[in-house]
Amino acid sequence: MEAKKASKKSPKSIRNQMMRAATIPAVFMLVIIVFVSHAMMRNAIDNNIKQNLIDFANTAINMMDRENPGDYTKVGEEEVAIYKGETLLNNNYDLIDSLVDGTNMGITFFYNDLRVISTLKYSDGARIVSIAAHSKVKKDVLEKGKSKFYNNVTLNGINYYAYYKVLYNSDGSIAGMVEVVKPANQVNTYILLKLIPVYIIGTIGIIMIGFISYKSTGNFVSVISKLEKQFTKVSKGKLDGSLDPNILNRNDEFGSMAKAVVKMQTALRAMIELDTLTQINNRRRGDTRLRSIINRAREKGTQFNVAIGDIDYFKKVNDTYGHDAGDAVLVAVANILKKGMQGRGFVARWGGEEFLIVFDRMDYDSSIKHLNRILDRIRAEVVHVNGYEISVTMSFGITRGKENDENNLVIKRADELLYTAKSTGRNQVVSGF
């Protein structure tokens, strides 16, 4: 009896060995997937934040030049006064405070390496000014004359993403730099929450592998080997790879685990590229695709046109019928836009009830006509939710793409045309160059 009990508990039993052989690689691959997923999301978010900071820095510099034309100059030695043209910058915070109002960003203007005006504050409310920039920033930006992005800068005990852009005077000399920052703690929390589905799916997958390995003795090695290869592809960021149909079609735990791998691929891809509610391109993906289309237009002379659309009186829908109805309207509109743009370009949710529509390889007049046809379909749509029948309309601004465009320029033109459409009656397409 003692011999039998020892045999059942022996770590060298076939089933135990099979479970170890299956679960240890799975755990290892899960760790790799989580690590790679984290790295992929971090890289995607870093790039997105970098572009946001660059755009914000350019806006700040342009507004400073427009409001205060002229060069940056210093007056005095002990009590230093910094001027922009004829305007004294010291303690002049109205412009930069208005720029960051409603955002979680901070901005600082330097003269050489000296902080002159800043929206950043100490815990007592005093502005962080009249101190020198970090020696590394001074070396990287001012001495080399190159703008620089950092994803880990500590200011007053807080970690930030930061972008530094060189400021030049009219004679081409370096006058100083502008610093734009965004707190990093929110990003870390966002990544952790987004990875929870990966942890859950991966854990379920490991449990299933252990169960299958305990029950199966036939094709264990070959099936696990194929699954491991797929895990490896996912861990390398190959999210479009397909799994062996023979495994996917199995009516057992192996088949379920294979489907879980596919769901994991879909979940990762959705986290990076798709809007959670509407399942169309998210803003980051839309921005990337538009940049690619603009680059191709420069290289090959292809045509493109850009529109921004906004659902009319969307707040009224939420206030009257509830947010569930608002979500249903967003999904319905997104589906119409997505279907209408198949083969003609793409659509992305740009934020709230706004959508980015990009016509690729279509001439300007055809794009306007097709956008009006899409608007007709939206007008005809009736959204049924919670016993209500909701009809909606949209306003669009569409502009012709140019070879020398940048994302922010062409989108700004479309946004201005959208404003015209909203302010002159809504429920229409307004076009312009």
Side-chain angles (χ1 to χ4, degrees), residues 136-274:
K136 178 173 175 55
V137 175
K138 180 180 178 182
K139 181 178 180 181
D140 290 346
V141 181
L142 294 177
E143 293 181 11
K144 295 181 180 180
K146 294 183 178 180
S147 300
K148 184 76 173 179
F149 172 76
Y150 302 90
N151 60 8
N152 188 16
V153 169
T154 301
L155 297 171
N156 194 30
I158 301 174
N159 290 329
Y160 291 95
Y161 287 88
Y163 176 73
Y164 296 85
K165 186 175 179 69
V166 181
L167 297 173
Y168 294 96
N169 277 331
S170 58
D171 61 358
S173 62
I174 295 177
M177 57 187 173
V178 63
E179 169 197 75
V180 181
V181 297
K182 180 183 180 72
N185 61 325
Q186 298 174 355
V187 174
N188 294 328
T189 302
Y190 174 84
I191 292 176
L192 178 61
L193 292 175
K194 286 295 184 181
L195 285 177
I196 288 176
V198 178
Y199 298 141
I200 294 174
I201 295 174
T203 302
I204 292 173
I206 291 173
I207 293 172
M208 292 174 65
I209 289 173
F211 178 75
I212 293 168
S213 68
Y214 186 80
K215 294 292 184 179
S216 176
T217 57
N219 58 358
F220 172 85
V221 175
S222 63
V223 173
I224 291 299
S225 177
K226 291 177 181 178
L227 288 171
E228 186 177 359
K229 288 179 181 178
Q230 188 66 16
F231 272 118
T232 302
K233 290 180 181 179
V234 174
S235 71
K236 293 180 179 179
K238 298 178 181 179
L239 303 180
D240 296 321
S242 59
L243 196 59
D244 186 343
N246 293 327
I247 301 176
L248 282 170
N249 294 330
R250 290 175 64 107
N251 294 319
D252 57 14
E253 292 81 5
F254 281 117
S256 298
M257 188 176 68
K259 292 179 180 67
V261 174
V262 174
K263 289 180 180 179
M264 184 184 299
Q265 289 178 261
T266 304
L268 287 171
R269 188 162 55 245
M271 282 189 289
I272 295 172
E273 298 181 352
L274 299 181

Side-chain angles (χ1 to χ4, degrees), residues 52 269 352 381:
N52 288 341
R269 188 162 55 245
E381 180 74 7

Side-chain angles (χ1 to χ4, degrees), residues 298-362:
R298 291 196 188 109
E299 295 172 1
K300 301 182 179 180
T302 53
Q303 298 184 71
F304 72 97
N305 304 287
V306 176
I308 295 289
D310 183 271
I311 299 174
D312 296 329
Y313 303 110
F314 183 73
K315 184 178 184 300
K316 184 176 180 181
V317 172
N318 278 329
D319 293 343
T320 305
Y321 304 105
H323 289 280
D324 287 346
D327 288 348
V329 167
L330 285 170
V331 171
V333 168
N335 288 338
I336 294 173
L337 291 170
K338 181 178 180 181
K339 185 176 180 180
M341 290 303 294
Q342 285 179 352
R344 296 177 176 87
F346 71 89
V347 61
R349 188 177 179 191
W350 203 238
E353 65 270 25
E354 278 195 344
F355 295 85
L356 171 71
I357 302 98
V358 178
F359 293 90
D360 187 18
R361 295 187 179 95
M362 281 186 70

Side-chain angles (χ1 to χ4, degrees), residues 1-10:
M1 292 293 295
E2 291 297 321
K4 289 182 179 180
K5 290 181 181 179
S7 176
K8 288 182 179 180
K9 296 180 181 180
S10 171

